[in-house]
Amino acid sequence: MSRVFGRALAVLPAELGGSAPGPLHTLLSALASASSRQEEESLVRKELSIIHQQLNTANFNPDVASECLVRLIYCATLGYPIGFCTIHALTLAQRGSSWHKRLGYLACCLLLHENHELLLLLVNTLMKDLQSGGPLEMGMALMVAGQLTPPHAVSSIMPIVIDKLAHSREFVRQKAVAALTFLTFRSCSDKSLDNENSDNCHPSNSYQRDVFLRAFGDRDPSVMAASLPALLHLAKRDPDWCRTLVPALVGVLRQVIEGRLHGDFSFHGVPSPWLQIDLLRLFSLLGKGDHGTSQQIYEVLGECMERARSKQMSAWAVLSECIRTLSVLPPHLELWTRASDFVGEMLQSSNANLQYMGVRCLADMARVEPGTVLCHRPSVMCALEQPDPAIRRRTLELLCRVVGQENVEAVCGHLLSALRDTQDPYEARSLASRTLDLAYRFSPNSEWLVGIVTEVLSMREEIIPPDEPGRFLWLLVKEEEESAESLKFHALQALMASSTAISSRTSQPLLRAITWVLGEISHVQPDLSPADISSRLSRILVPPASRQGSHARASSLSIPIETQAWLLTGLSKVLSRQANELGNASLITEQIREESKDGGQDVEMTREAGGGGEGGSFARKDTDHFLEKAEIFSKVDDQIKNMNASQKNQTSSSPEVIEIKVNGSQAGLSSEECNESGMGERVDIMGTSDVDQDKVCLDKYETEAGKSEISKEDSGTRQIKLPLPTLDLLSDDPCIQQLIDELRRLWASPSLFATVLPASPGCQTPLVDPSLPFLDGFVAEAMRKGAAPYIPPQLRQLDKQGSSYDAREIQVSGAFSESVGHGTSPTSTAGNSWAQEAGNMDHYQGQIEICPLRQNPQRMSPAIQL
Amino acid sequence: MMKFWFVVNRQGQTRLTRYFEFVEENKRAALEKDVVTVCLARPPRQCSFVEYKNFRLIFRCYASVVCIVGIDEDENELAIYELIQNFVETLDKYFNRVCELDILFHLDKVHVILEETVMGGQVLETNNARILSLLHQMDQTSREK
């Protein structure tokens, strides 16, 4: 507490604190002189323990209890828990009288809440007071019943409360109405109501209507005013019935504004402003969309607006509510014009509160008639430049209501500058989502739209709406017309530029957008080579600086798993294009070779490291034809060179290399060039059995060259380093490892890659048949050989003993169902690739275990591990 | 609907807190501190309505105290602003020129007056005379006892 205050407290006459310096006075003085938070805390805790002792004495003394409770409420205001005294509050409410009882009830209201265990005791006290107390006690009990009654006690209390509606004292009737509103409508919105209580909610709507109608018709204005919230609820539920009340409501409002209520009900010369506002709210609910009802309302509304012209703020409050109601009713020209004038007055007022209300009213009117804003344009622009953030915010909301294609750029500009300036995350979030909404709806051209989206996505991640970047990417995909091309082009440009500026602070949505766009629509720009893009993506995945040493893991892990999956999927799209091109190149090579009559070239693949391949010469039968093909081929070759070169520039602990040894004798290349392009290297990084498996797989191709067409097609593929980081560098997540493994294996056979992940432009949704019918043959074959049928995990527990499963069978089928079920990557190519690759099972059978998780047994999911 | 009603002094110390919507105990201190900081930091010429998180704050400064009310979307801000004035006028009439000390020493009575004005977040009685007559009746009965 401040020293000034403390001194004031000290010189205060003791009378102010009750009798000669009472305990409260002592406490307050002590706290005033406390110099630190710790001191205050120790004082308060000491006081609380003293109070605890005082309250726990055997004899109940209402004065002592009251005094203690007052101090306790003060401590609670300071923030200290006083839950231990709830029972004493209840006792005081039960056994005290007059102010003591009131204090007890007050303490109960402050301490208890809906789910408190002592609420039942309170209900008993309430019932007693309601049934046999005097009017003051009844009033108190009704107040508490109207705030705290638990749902299960509603049925017992409600009839008693309804009785009180006929009490002779008006304050009892008023509180009974308020309590009844709470009991009826609060309980109805409570979703945890069970069936027995639901009867109390809607037993008979007509009964409720009668009750509240009676209250509305009460001769006392306070009771009538208390019934209006209930009528509001009824009007929301059943507007048709409430419309019958409109004449009566109009009559009431007329009486109020003509000043026929007692003078006590006026507030600074304005007759009962809050009552007027409640009535106006009712009118807005009832007149909405209904011409007939509105006709009855217009006249009194106009009168209300006229009489509300005074210097009093409460009058302006009534006027704002009038304008709000008017904006909801069917338009009335004369009233609308007058409302517009009033709004102008408010906007030009020097009082900031009135300006705020003016902007608010204008926003309400603009929702119906955006042209209204035009009349007040200068004031609105002034409001936009106000230093007051609340007014600026409201003005921005107003502007959002009058956006069209011609002014969307200006409005979004304002929104973005507010977004950059604001510190409040709630406001930032709402501004970001509003900007994007307006941009999507009204964008004049693609370039601007892409700019806005990129800018919002570059902001802090917590303010970006959760449906981004999905919404933007969907837009890129679904547009079929001319504008789609332009949108894709600009999106590609912008995100390519952003991809060079990626840092650890880049938001995930932006990263994902970049990945997706680079992967999916980079084909739009033919001069962008897949090699370039794949190297960009791999650089994002594992930044070059982090590829060495133990730092590698840490920095890669800073990309969340989901984004890693996006990146890998994007990479696979780009690599599939590369593979496609390589596949085409190999076909071209085949053709050229066939065309050469010399035909002395070996299509055999060399196996050993260092085998640079025979540099043979090609007989060129048809020069032109040859040159054409060579051109295509060298283009592909350049790409490969670039890729390898860029990878060479990176650190020496290079990514794993899948090498496909190929025929070195290619058109137009000398053996030196072959060697230069890394032909002769076989960098064997992985010490795992994978490489052996690849070797074996390649062996298979080679030895069964005659059998399968795959090997024939692959014969021309060039060696290339796959731009994937080692498994260690990425996360432990099995899904990510699976994706990498898939890519690696697919890359090992580009024609398979092209089949599994065709590089045709456009996003075609892969069709997945979850029952995996192509596996039927395999499963039948395995079962024929004696494998046990697949048992789902939940049944396995039951059947554990005495079962002899073929572990491989379980693993294989389990792995497939799980890998297809995994939805980590945005496209389901992960599942598809496995599913489709399994179609070529013949090659693998008996040779390789397909389950990817098998390599790292400790990472197997429990379902598979037996 | 109102969510809460605070009365704080100019230094930011809480004098009265009333929650109309249940807020857990451990979150109250942070909410109070935040709300008070936001309101007291406003320059005097700016409006008294503050957007805070997903609701609004209406505050009104007096000589030694500031009343802060949290409301949701539906309420008329100016009406609540005037309601605060109504409440303070009732206090003024009951305590005869109310000051901060009155609020401190008669916290229970201030709570009762608040409850009579606003019950459970809804405006109940705005007629000061009626609230005061009720309180005087209670004073009389307790004096008789």
Side-chain angles (χ1 to χ4, degrees):
Chain A
M1 284 192 208
S2 70
R3 253 190 267 143
V4 168
F5 176 77
R7 266 187 263 133
L9 204 54
V11 305
L12 211 57
E15 283 110 52
L16 193 58
S19 47
L24 181 62
H25 188 273
T26 325
L27 171 65
L28 290 173
S29 317
L31 285 173
S33 54
S35 54
S36 73
R37 175 95 186 147
Q38 283 81 12
E39 206 180 318
E40 179 196 281
E41 211 176 311
S42 64
L43 277 170
V44 169
R45 293 207 189 277
K46 209 172 82 185
E47 188 73 24
L48 286 175
S49 62
I50 295 171
I51 294 172
H52 197 55
Q53 273 175 347
Q54 283 179 323
L55 284 174
N56 278 339
T57 53
N59 299 325
F60 171 74
N61 184 340
D63 291 318
V64 169
S66 292
E67 179 61 63
C68 291
L69 274 180
V70 171
R71 278 182 281 157
L72 281 170
I73 293 175
Y74 181 72
C75 295
T77 311
L78 286 179
Y80 297 91
I82 57 164
F84 63 87
C85 74
T86 315
I87 188 68
H88 301 289
L90 281 165
T91 321
L92 187 59
Q94 197 178 26
R95 293 160 70 168
S97 60
S98 180
W99 270 118
H100 297 316
K101 190 185 263 289
R102 190 74 176 89
L103 181 58
Y105 274 137
L106 172 70
C108 290
C109 284
L110 294 175
L111 290 168
L112 294 174
H113 55 82
E114 216 173 65
N115 302 320
H116 206 280
E117 58 251 10
L118 295 176
L119 214 45
L120 203 53
L121 293 175
L122 179 68
V123 170
N124 289 335
T125 319
L126 287 177
M127 300 272 279
K128 213 177 94 195
D129 277 329
L130 282 173
Q131 280 161 332
S132 49
L136 287 176
E137 282 79 23
M138 275 190 220
M140 292 181 218
L142 285 167
M143 294 279 285
V144 179
Q147 293 175 69
L148 277 183
T149 311
H152 55 82
V154 167
S155 48
S156 31
I157 284 203
M158 208 189 269
I160 311 173
V161 171
I162 292 177
D163 270 339
K164 301 293 165 259
L165 288 176
H167 199 274
S168 54
R169 301 293 301 273
E170 66 285 340
F171 71 86
V172 173
R173 293 202 303 275
Q174 178 197 36
K175 290 180 179 147
V177 175
L180 201 59
T181 313
F182 172 80
L183 292 172
T184 318
F185 298 105
R186 191 278 323 238
S187 314
C188 288
S189 61
D190 193 344
K191 292 193 178 72
S192 59
L193 267 190
D194 46 51
N195 282 333
E196 52 193 71
N197 277 328
S198 64
D199 284 345
N200 293 317
C201 246
H202 299 278
S204 43
N205 284 341
S206 57
Y207 183 66
Q208 284 172 13
R209 287 181 206 156
D210 282 339
V211 158
F212 288 117
L213 207 55
R214 238 188 308 149
F216 176 63
D218 196 290
R219 60 187 184 278
D220 189 273
S222 290
V223 181
M224 185 269 297
S227 71
L228 291 178
L231 289 182
L232 220 70
H233 280 287
L234 285 175
K236 281 181 197 158
R237 199 203 292 169
D238 185 6
D240 292 319
W241 170 78
C242 274
R243 284 200 188 103
T244 56
L245 292 179
V246 167
L249 290 166
V250 166
V252 167
L253 184 56
R254 192 162 273 133
Q255 285 185 42
V256 171
I257 59 182
E258 284 169 7
R260 290 203 249 146
L261 291 180
H262 192 274
D264 283 345
F265 286 97
S266 305
F267 181 71
H268 294 274
V270 181
S272 197
W274 299 278
L275 175 55
Q276 289 188 48
I277 287 173
D278 277 340
L279 285 166
L280 288 166
R281 277 206 201 118
L282 257 178
F283 287 147
S284 73
L285 272 179
L286 298 176
K288 190 172 181 179
D290 187 309
H291 233 87
T293 316
S294 307
Q295 291 299 327
Q296 302 172 39
I297 297 175
Y298 288 135
E299 198 188 324
V300 74
L301 194 58
E303 255 184 72
C304 193
M305 281 165 71
E306 264 320 302
R307 287 183 190 258
R309 304 205 62 189
S310 101
K311 290 208 172 68
Q312 289 296 327
M313 293 299 261
S314 44
W316 285 107
V318 173
L319 198 56
S320 326
E321 197 64 38
C322 285
I323 297 175
R324 190 172 229 204
T325 306
L326 193 62
S327 69
V328 166
L329 299 181
H332 185 286
L333 188 60
E334 194 208 326
L335 287 179
W336 198 268
T337 324
R338 270 156 64 187
S340 182
D341 293 336
F342 290 141
V343 165
E345 269 184 60
M346 284 200 264
L347 284 173
Q348 283 160 9
S349 152
S350 54
N351 185 321
N353 291 342
L354 280 182
Q355 283 180 6
Y356 180 93
M357 293 309 285
V359 175
R360 188 172 172 273
C361 292
L362 194 56
D364 288 331
M365 292 173 81
R367 198 180 29 221
V368 178
E369 176 51 59
T372 326
V373 180
L374 282 176
C375 321
H376 302 290
R377 212 169 145 205
S379 315
V380 170
M381 298 320 288
C382 261
L384 200 56
E385 272 130 43
Q386 284 269 351
D388 188 336
I391 295 181
R392 268 208 316 269
R393 206 161 146 174
R394 280 290 194 170
T395 318
L396 280 175
E397 279 176 31
L398 166 64
L399 285 181
C400 288
R401 299 235 173 119
V402 293
V403 168
Q405 224 178 34
E406 61 287 347
N407 63 353
V408 67
E409 294 181 52
V411 173
C412 284
H414 285 300
L415 288 172
L416 281 175
S417 69
L419 184 54
R420 278 180 227 117
D421 295 336
T422 185
Q423 303 299 325
D424 178 11
Y426 280 84
E427 187 188 352
R429 244 174 262 149
S430 108
L431 282 171
S433 72
R434 215 176 280 151
T435 314
L436 287 174
D437 277 339
L438 293 177
Y440 287 132
R441 277 167 57 196
F442 298 107
S443 77
N445 59 57
S446 315
E447 193 176 349
W448 177 83
L449 175 61
V450 168
I452 295 282
V453 173
T454 324
E455 187 160 355
V456 175
L457 288 181
S458 321
M459 305 232 171
R460 308 188 299 278
E461 196 168 334
E462 60 265 14
I463 66 174
I464 299 174
D467 58 356
E468 294 292 342
R471 212 168 149 193
F472 179 57
L473 301 182
W474 185 241
L475 197 64
L476 285 173
V477 165
K478 77 174 174 114
E479 288 200 10
E480 301 295 342
E481 330 83 39
E482 265 310 307
S483 58
E485 290 308 311
S486 153
L487 188 62
K488 285 181 188 167
F489 174 75
H490 286 117
L492 191 57
Q493 295 294 312
L495 292 174
M496 285 277 287
S498 306
S499 68
T500 53
I502 287 178
S503 70
S504 56
R505 287 179 28 219
T506 313
S507 68
Q508 296 309 309
L510 183 61
L511 261 185
R512 289 175 202 163
I514 291 172
T515 325
W516 192 91
V517 162
L518 286 181
E520 186 73 23
I521 61 176
S522 52
H523 61 83
V524 161
Q525 217 173 318
D527 56 324
L528 273 179
S529 69
D532 181 34
I533 298 177
S534 61
S535 68
R536 274 187 201 236
L537 288 175
S538 70
R539 264 203 300 275
I540 301 172
L541 197 54
V542 182
S546 67
R547 282 190 196 195
Q548 33 186 333
S550 56
H551 304 298
R553 193 170 206 159
S555 63
S556 309
L557 287 178
S558 65
I559 306 180
I561 302 235
E562 202 187 321
T563 314
Q564 285 180 10
W566 279 67
L567 279 162
L568 284 169
T569 316
L571 201 53
S572 67
K573 290 178 197 171
V574 175
L575 291 175
S576 80
R577 283 201 355 247
Q578 265 179 292
N580 239 1
E581 282 169 8
L582 293 177
N584 286 340
S586 73
L587 283 174
I588 294 166
T589 319
E590 266 310 301
Q591 271 184 310
I592 294 171
R593 210 174 290 125
E594 277 167 23
E595 279 159 15
S596 77
K597 282 287 163 140
D598 283 280
Q601 307 312 319
D602 233 348
V603 294
E604 248 182 52
M605 291 193 246
T606 54
R607 257 187 239 194
E608 296 312 310
E614 271 81 8
S617 63
F618 252 78
R620 302 173 188 192
K621 201 181 180 193
D622 182 5
T623 317
D624 291 335
H625 181 64
F626 170 78
L627 280 176
E628 191 189 292
K629 302 289 184 192
E631 211 181 292
I632 300 170
F633 200 79
S634 64
K635 226 198 236 169
V636 171
D637 196 56
D638 283 340
Q639 285 184 20
I640 295 168
K641 268 196 199 165
N642 287 339
M643 251 190 85
N644 286 340
S646 63
Q647 287 183 1
K648 260 193 190 155
N649 290 339
Q650 290 153 8
T651 61
S652 54
S653 69
S654 48
E656 58 188 46
V657 165
I658 307 304
E659 190 185 357
I660 304 155
K661 301 295 290 170
V662 297
N663 190 346
S665 55
Q666 305 296 338
L669 288 182
S670 64
S671 48
E672 291 84 40
E673 282 175 283
C674 292
N675 284 330
E676 213 178 22
S677 63
M679 194 59 183
E681 298 172 28
R682 184 179 180 135
V683 182
D684 203 342
I685 294 199
M686 295 178 40
T688 66
S689 55
D690 254 7
V691 172
D692 296 327
Q693 291 167 9
D694 290 334
K695 233 203 285 187
V696 173
C697 131
L698 293 170
D699 283 344
K700 256 206 127 28
Y701 282 146
E702 288 145 25
T703 56
E704 297 181 17
K707 283 190 218 170
S708 107
E709 18 167 44
I710 295 169
S711 55
K712 256 203 197 141
E713 283 167 22
D714 291 342
S715 64
T717 324
R718 296 298 305 278
Q719 169 195 26
I720 191 164
K721 289 186 198 169
L722 185 65
L724 278 185
T726 57
L727 274 180
D728 298 342
L729 286 183
L730 283 184
S731 69
D732 283 344
D733 189 76
C735 304
I736 300 296
Q737 295 193 354
Q738 181 184 336
L739 282 171
I740 294 177
D741 197 56
E742 276 172 21
L743 268 182
R744 206 187 317 124
R745 288 171 191 270
L746 287 173
W747 189 253
S749 117
S751 50
L752 183 64
F753 206 156
T755 322
V756 170
L757 294 178
S760 57
C763 198
Q764 294 158 7
T765 317
L767 299 167
V768 179
D769 183 354
S771 63
L772 309 177
F774 55 86
L775 276 183
D776 290 342
F778 174 71
V779 170
E781 180 68 25
M783 282 178 64
R784 196 176 57 78
K785 288 183 183 167
Y790 175 67
I791 299 181
Q794 45 272 29
L795 297 181
R796 259 177 245 164
Q797 305 295 329
L798 307 169
D799 207 22
K800 230 177 186 161
Q801 293 149 0
S803 57
S804 53
Y805 302 123
D806 182 9
R808 199 177 63 185
E809 169 68 49
I810 299 290
Q811 278 173 351
V812 166
S813 45
F816 276 111
S817 61
E818 300 215 0
S819 67
V820 167
H822 269 305
T824 50
S825 40
T827 63
S828 45
T829 49
N832 252 7
S833 63
W834 272 112
Q836 292 200 20
E837 192 178 11
N840 303 312
M841 286 278 288
D842 298 331
H843 310 293
Y844 296 96
Q845 198 172 17
Q847 299 286 338
I848 302 164
E849 305 293 351
I850 298 176
C851 172
L853 303 174
R854 206 89 191 289
Q855 294 151 14
N856 300 299
Q858 69 272 21
R859 295 191 194 118
M860 270 199 276
S861 67
I864 297 176
Q865 211 164 19
L866 291 173
Chain B
M1 256 238 10
M2 285 173 255
K3 294 183 184 278
F4 53 76
W5 191 299
F6 298 158
V7 176
V8 302
N9 72 357
R10 291 293 202 151
Q11 283 76 43
Q13 292 167 326
T14 334
R15 291 290 170 241
L16 180 147
T17 60
R18 189 67 196 259
Y19 288 89
F20 302 118
E21 256 184 19
F22 179 66
V23 171
E24 283 138 42
E25 302 259 345
N26 49 6
K27 300 211 169 100
R28 288 185 183 191
L31 175 67
E32 283 159 33
K33 188 157 168 269
D34 215 12
V35 161
V36 166
T37 321
V38 165
C39 291
L40 291 183
R42 301 270 285 182
R45 288 190 63 81
Q46 289 186 5
C47 71
S48 304
F49 314 130
V50 182
E51 308 265 346
Y52 177 77
K53 292 197 183 168
N54 56 344
F55 51 91
R56 242 158 257 154
L57 302 173
I58 320 285
F59 68 96
R60 190 149 188 168
C61 297
Y62 294 95
S64 52
V65 295
V66 178
C67 288
I68 307 174
V69 180
I71 60 163
D72 62 11
E73 291 283 323
D74 297 334
E75 292 284 347
N76 186 321
E77 290 95 340
L78 210 49
I80 302 293
Y81 186 72
E82 291 301 300
L83 189 70
I84 299 176
Q85 175 66 17
N86 195 7
F87 168 67
V88 170
E89 282 181 11
T90 319
L91 287 178
D92 210 34
K93 283 183 199 156
Y94 184 74
F95 290 111
N96 241 342
R97 317 254 313 254
V98 67
C99 65
E100 195 187 343
L101 291 177
D102 291 313
I103 301 179
L104 265 182
F105 278 100
H106 301 286
L107 192 55
D108 51 334
K109 303 245 168 73
V110 177
H111 264 286
V112 166
I113 294 174
L114 180 60
E115 230 178 22
E116 295 287 335
T117 310
V118 175
M119 187 180 110
Q122 288 280 359
V123 175
L124 181 63
E125 178 65 80
T126 55
N127 187 337
N128 297 351
R130 295 212 170 179
I131 300 174
L132 291 170
S133 81
L134 199 64
L135 292 173
H136 289 315
Q137 272 183 51
M138 286 181 58
D139 287 337
Q140 212 169 10
T141 32
S142 63
R143 250 178 267 135
E144 279 161 16
K145 293 219 167 99

